[in-house]
Amino acid sequence: MENKSKRGLLRKSLFTGVILILLLMLYCMIFQFSAQDSEESGSLSRMITEKLINFINSVSGAHWSDPKRAELAEYFEHPIRKLAHFAEYAYMGVLVYSLWSQWLRRGRFLVLLTTGWVFLSAAADEFHQYFVPGRYASFADVLLDTCGGVCGMLFCICVAAICRRWRGRKIKRRKNMGV
């Protein structure tokens, strides 16, 4: 039994190490994006939006004209930018919840810890942006990022519940079969 608990602790520690590395990489990426001045950040958003519009145009066979593609890219640039914010922090919510759920019992405290962590991370990111030329801090972005983190955490909670239910059914089938 002692050997099994050592393996479990080793597995938890390795998982924690991987999550910490991924979290550090995510923080570095977010910091780099936030450090871009308004012109650099805007041109990156435009480029990504234009590529997405061109991809949709080619896959759908719509054959939009150049002016139409430019109009669509301009229209969707802001929502795509906000969706990217949301996705970054959803990923953060997955990582933070996964990290802490290894060491803490599931429940209200874990949900509040994860939400608070993501909120503080988003607030720190916006505070950093305040000092970047041409950029500004937005509490609305902090809330959007926090919502992304909460959605990522809820995704983890749902997947864990499905896995527990599946494992429970598997064990019940084995018992019924007499294994």
Side-chain angles (χ1 to χ4, degrees):
M1 189 66 167
E2 184 180 317
N3 196 19
K4 195 174 185 178
S5 66
K6 282 184 181 180
R7 274 188 281 154
L9 182 60
L10 179 62
R11 190 176 298 138
K12 279 169 74 168
S13 298
L14 287 172
F15 185 75
T16 299
V18 169
I19 295 292
L20 285 172
I21 290 168
L22 292 173
L23 199 53
L24 181 64
M25 290 169 57
L26 179 63
Y27 275 112
C28 288
M29 183 186 77
I30 290 171
F31 183 81
Q32 285 180 324
F33 283 143
S34 293
Q36 294 175 338
D37 63 23
S38 61
E39 190 175 312
E40 188 178 4
S41 177
S43 66
L44 178 63
S45 294
R46 272 189 298 284
M47 181 193 72
I48 290 169
T49 306
E50 287 168 359
K51 286 186 183 292
L52 183 62
I53 294 297
N54 288 334
F55 174 75
I56 292 170
N57 184 45
S58 65
V59 169
S60 70
H63 306 293
W64 293 318
S65 64
D66 287 345
K68 178 67 175 178
R69 286 195 308 258
E71 176 188 335
L72 287 169
E74 184 178 331
Y75 180 78
F76 285 109
E77 181 183 341
H78 185 73
I80 288 172
R81 185 184 192 108
K82 295 304 173 188
L83 185 61
H85 263 262
F86 188 88
E88 287 172 342
Y89 283 87
Y91 184 50
M92 183 184 291
V94 167
L95 291 175
V96 171
Y97 184 83
S98 298
L99 172 71
W100 286 114
S101 67
Q102 294 300 302
W103 303 100
L104 300 172
R105 197 177 316 163
R106 288 183 300 270
R108 212 174 274 165
F109 178 73
L110 183 55
V111 168
L112 291 173
L113 177 66
T114 302
T115 303
W117 182 305
V118 172
F119 176 83
L120 291 174
S121 297
D125 177 45
E126 290 299 314
F127 181 72
H128 168 245
Q129 260 181 231
Y130 180 76
F131 298 101
V132 176
R135 303 288 295 269
Y136 61 94
S138 166
F139 188 69
D141 280 353
V142 172
L143 294 179
L144 176 71
D145 296 345
T146 303
C147 287
V150 168
C151 285
M153 174 184 60
L154 291 175
F155 174 78
C156 286
I157 292 169
C158 289
V159 168
I162 290 167
C163 289
R164 279 193 306 277
R165 183 173 290 156
W166 180 77
R167 257 188 262 130
R169 287 181 182 165
K170 191 175 175 181
I171 290 169
K172 189 175 181 180
R173 274 196 301 257
R174 282 185 182 166
K175 284 181 182 179
N176 289 341
M177 294 173 73
V179 176

